[in-house]
Amino acid sequence: FVSTIRTISIVTNSGRTLPFLLKMPRLAKEYKECDQHEKAYQSQDAIFVARKRNVNAKKVKPMRWVKNVGLGIKTPDAAIEGTYVDKKCPFTGNVSIRGKILKGLVISTKMKRTVVVRRDYLHYIKKYRRFEKRHKNIHAHCSPCFGVKEGDIVTIGQCRPLAKTVKFNVVAHEAQRAKTGKKTFRMF
């Protein structure tokens, strides 16, 4: 992997300009074998592994295909530098995020690459002029670039149906230290 170091200028309160170095993850220039955990050979659709490499070429195409989801969502470093293959990943696969962007608590990670996200909300009862607590469980595809555990808070984005009950994709992840109960009422 080739890491590029970019210099940006920061202006202090006194008006002085200081250089600041940013180390940014970059795409691999040489081919790195993808994770092989399935019966079929795993490779990204957009990358041709056996291409001839020109020694004198100035611009070399990267050996990993990654896209920017948009909507202010940052592409994780694990998606850029990783070796996994996931066609349902919003960063390296054939899925576009559109529609709702929601936040919720992960209550189950027992399925393969799928998590159950609990969203709590209040519903108003007009007769009693009070609110009642309700919740919905949403199934969301979780890319291998996120190390999601139970109790973490994730941001999920709506996409095309990926399975019978999966219509969302994890796009951001916040690790939680405090372990609370699964059915504790929490709004985000």
Side-chain angles (χ1 to χ4, degrees):
F1 289 97
V2 178
S3 296
T4 56
I5 298 176
R6 292 188 182 175
T7 308
I8 59 170
S9 317
I10 296 178
V11 180
T12 60
N13 293 341
S14 60
R16 290 178 44 198
T17 305
L18 299 173
F20 187 74
L21 297 176
L22 284 174
K23 188 175 181 187
M24 310 220 15
R26 287 294 114 209
L27 297 170
K29 300 292 182 196
E30 67 277 345
Y31 180 70
K32 193 172 180 184
E33 182 69 33
C34 295
D35 295 338
Q36 302 295 332
H37 299 297
E38 307 293 329
K39 288 182 179 177
Y41 180 74
Q42 300 294 304
S43 66
Q44 284 187 308
D45 290 338
I47 301 297
F48 180 56
V49 178
R51 74 172 182 215
K52 295 186 176 106
R53 288 154 189 89
N54 189 353
V55 179
N56 299 330
K58 290 177 183 158
K59 187 176 179 184
V60 180
K61 276 178 95 177
M63 292 300 287
R64 183 158 176 84
W65 185 80
V66 179
K67 72 175 178 180
N68 183 10
V69 172
L71 304 169
I73 297 164
K74 183 183 173 289
T75 304
D77 294 344
I80 298 170
E81 298 175 349
T83 57
Y84 69 90
V85 176
D86 185 11
K87 66 179 183 177
K88 296 178 181 179
C89 174
F91 308 106
T92 62
N94 185 22
V95 175
S96 60
I97 302 297
R98 79 284 190 281
K100 296 178 183 177
I101 304 289
L102 307 171
K103 221 173 196 188
L105 182 75
V106 176
I107 60 169
S108 175
T109 58
K110 293 176 183 172
M111 291 177 277
K112 183 180 178 184
R113 292 187 181 177
T114 306
V115 294
V116 179
V117 179
R118 180 185 170 108
R119 295 201 68 240
D120 297 312
Y121 60 96
L122 296 172
H123 178 251
Y124 185 69
I125 307 295
K126 196 162 55 172
K127 178 181 177 183
Y128 299 111
R129 289 191 237 145
R130 282 169 174 75
F131 291 93
E132 67 179 0
K133 296 174 185 174
R134 288 189 178 180
H135 82 277
K136 286 276 188 266
N137 287 345
I138 300 171
H139 298 267
H141 180 79
C142 184
S143 176
C145 63
F146 297 110
V148 176
K149 297 184 180 73
E150 288 184 18
D152 291 353
I153 296 170
V154 293
T155 304
I156 55 176
Q158 189 178 9
C159 59
R160 63 178 168 82
L162 303 174
K164 182 183 174 185
T165 58
V166 180
K167 293 161 186 67
F168 285 86
N169 223 314
V170 175
V171 293
H173 167 242
E174 302 168 24
Q176 288 296 97
R177 300 283 181 263
K179 182 74 174 168
T180 57
K182 275 188 182 180
K183 297 188 177 180
T184 309
F185 190 83
R186 293 178 65 183
M187 288 180 65
F188 302 104

